[in-house]
Amino acid sequence: MQTISKASCAMASFPRSTAKSGLCVWPGMKQLCLRKGLPYGLLRFLSIPFKTLWGASRSLKVTQFCTVYNMSSSLQIELVPCLKDNYAYLLHDVDTGTVGVVDPSESRPIIDALSRKNRNLTYILNTHHHFDHTGGNVELKARYGAKVIGSGIDRDRIPGIDIALKDGDKWMFAGHEVLVIETPGHTRGHISFYFPGSGVIFTGDTLFSLSCGKLFEGTPEQMVSSLKKIMALPCDTNIYCGHEYTLSNSKFALSIEPNNEALKNYAAQVAHLRSKGTATIPTTLKMEKMCNPFLRTSSMEIRQSLSIPATADDAEALRVIRQAKDNF
């Protein structure tokens, strides 16, 4: 059975991709959305083992996850909470059994998730070198013999790296093409992994829901360039980022753009999800373009709120927004 499983616990009222067929089930909400007709959807639903993860991380307060199936792809994505607020992602190709993990902060949650389904680990994908994204590399590589993949720029900073990639490289995860996009700003060697066939991107700490990463090693100009690369992707792209920061990000975003109706609606939904211990990831590029202040540097309301001149370019606007966020 070819499916794509995304650890998305969004409410049914969240904007979701309409370009791909499938069925979506949100646990505890008793809501079913069928996009290829009721008879077809019910037959496919009954033939698919529905799996839900419960009580994954007390520190994250994520108490339930749901699975979203998309009939056009054989890639499954499972969200795995790590540390205090990190997310790692298990990738499973249904056709070949190939398994990968994106940004394993620590090894134990990944080992537990793999053991529950009696799976091996083939690849470890790192978006950047920070320990909260690579902390599990060495133990996972030793235990499973997995190959570590990361940026060539960070070859000396990513533990156990085997395959070094650069901007524009196309790498294959089983039968899925992966486009490597250099997205520096948070770190100089940061990359994002885009799966065009499945409409998903793993952005690490470059793009969060309603924010972007702190500029530890990069410049505002680099971050603007990186964000514009992501913004050029289809609007229904699902974004899997490295942390559960959405609730706190929403409070800052509302403080500088309080009249943004889409943002107010999204912030209310985010608060509802987090009150129930539900993950807010993945988000969609469409949602972020409407609500994320770091993708809205031309917003006159934001510029007026932060006294950014109308003549300032996007990089200067992002610098001011980032500074305000850091001090919020």
Side-chain angles (χ1 to χ4, degrees):
M1 183 67 65
Q2 292 191 345
T3 65
I4 177 172
S5 144
K6 300 175 184 175
S8 160
C9 291
M11 295 175 64
S13 57
F14 272 34
R16 299 190 60 83
S17 168
T18 57
K20 298 175 182 177
S21 60
L23 63 93
C24 315
V25 178
W26 287 267
M29 297 187 65
K30 309 294 186 182
Q31 296 185 9
L32 177 65
C33 166
L34 299 174
R35 298 196 187 100
K36 288 191 70 173
L38 185 60
Y40 175 87
L42 285 175
L43 286 173
R44 294 301 293 262
F45 175 66
L46 292 174
S47 69
I48 296 172
F50 184 77
K51 301 184 183 294
T52 305
L53 225 70
W54 297 89
S57 170
R58 292 182 181 178
S59 61
L60 258 177
K61 297 182 180 179
V62 175
T63 59
Q64 57 179 298
F65 298 96
C66 58
T67 300
V68 177
Y69 293 99
N70 187 304
M71 307 308 170
S72 65
S73 174
S74 62
L75 183 69
Q76 295 180 340
I77 304 172
E78 180 181 311
L79 181 153
V80 182
C82 298
L83 301 179
K84 180 182 177 180
D85 51 34
N86 280 76
Y87 286 145
Y89 301 100
L90 278 177
L91 314 179
H92 175 234
D93 177 67
V94 177
D95 293 336
T96 65
T98 303
V99 176
V101 63
V102 179
D103 285 350
S105 309
E106 51 183 335
S107 59
R108 179 46 54 186
I110 308 305
I111 294 170
D112 290 345
L114 292 169
S115 297
R116 278 191 294 269
K117 299 178 181 179
N118 193 29
R119 289 176 179 165
N120 196 6
L121 183 65
T122 314
Y123 297 110
I124 299 168
L125 290 76
N126 295 137
T127 59
H128 61 296
H129 75 282
H130 283 165
F131 184 78
D132 63 328
H133 293 256
T134 63
N137 279 20
V138 173
E139 185 174 350
L140 292 172
K141 180 176 180 176
R143 184 185 183 101
Y144 298 104
K147 297 293 185 182
V148 177
I149 298 164
S151 168
I153 295 174
D154 278 341
R155 180 189 294 273
D156 296 331
R157 303 198 291 180
I158 293 179
I161 190 169
D162 298 295
I163 301 172
L165 299 174
K166 63 182 186 301
D167 187 53
D169 280 351
K170 294 180 180 179
W171 177 74
M172 297 300 295
F173 175 80
H176 307 274
E177 182 181 81
V178 184
L179 178 62
V180 176
I181 304 175
E182 285 187 357
T183 49
H186 180 65
T187 66
R188 60 185 174 85
H190 199 296
I191 58 176
S192 297
F193 297 102
Y194 175 48
F195 289 67
S198 300
V200 302
I201 186 170
F202 298 92
T203 58
D205 287 358
T206 292
L207 176 64
F208 301 119
S209 184
L210 300 181
S211 189
C212 74
K214 291 183 178 181
L215 305 180
F216 288 126
E217 298 180 0
T219 65
E221 288 78 10
Q222 287 177 313
M223 182 60 80
V224 165
S225 176
S226 295
L227 295 176
K228 285 183 177 180
K229 291 179 184 179
I230 297 172
M231 290 175 70
L233 300 177
C235 283
D236 62 351
T237 300
N238 282 287
I239 297 167
Y240 291 84
C241 59
H243 294 268
E244 181 57 77
Y245 289 161
T246 317
L247 182 60
S248 61
N249 290 343
S250 71
K251 296 174 182 179
F252 170 73
L254 283 170
S255 75
I256 62 172
E257 198 176 20
N259 296 314
N260 183 331
E261 292 298 325
L263 173 59
K264 287 193 285 187
N265 290 335
Y266 183 45
Q269 292 172 342
V270 165
H272 177 77
L273 290 173
R274 296 306 294 141
S275 71
K276 295 183 177 296
T278 303
T280 64
I281 305 302
T283 180
T284 64
L285 184 54
K286 179 180 179 180
M287 179 66 78
E288 297 308 307
K289 285 183 174 182
M290 292 191 296
C291 302
N292 190 325
F294 292 91
L295 303 187
R296 298 176 55 76
T297 52
S298 62
S299 164
M300 290 309 301
E301 183 177 12
I302 291 176
R303 289 185 173 228
Q304 290 170 4
S305 294
L306 296 176
S307 300
I308 302 171
T311 55
D313 62 16
D314 288 336
E316 174 60 15
L318 185 140
R319 184 193 66 79
V320 175
I321 297 170
R322 183 65 260 175
Q323 185 177 52
K325 177 69 167 63
D326 292 343
N327 296 327
F328 184 70

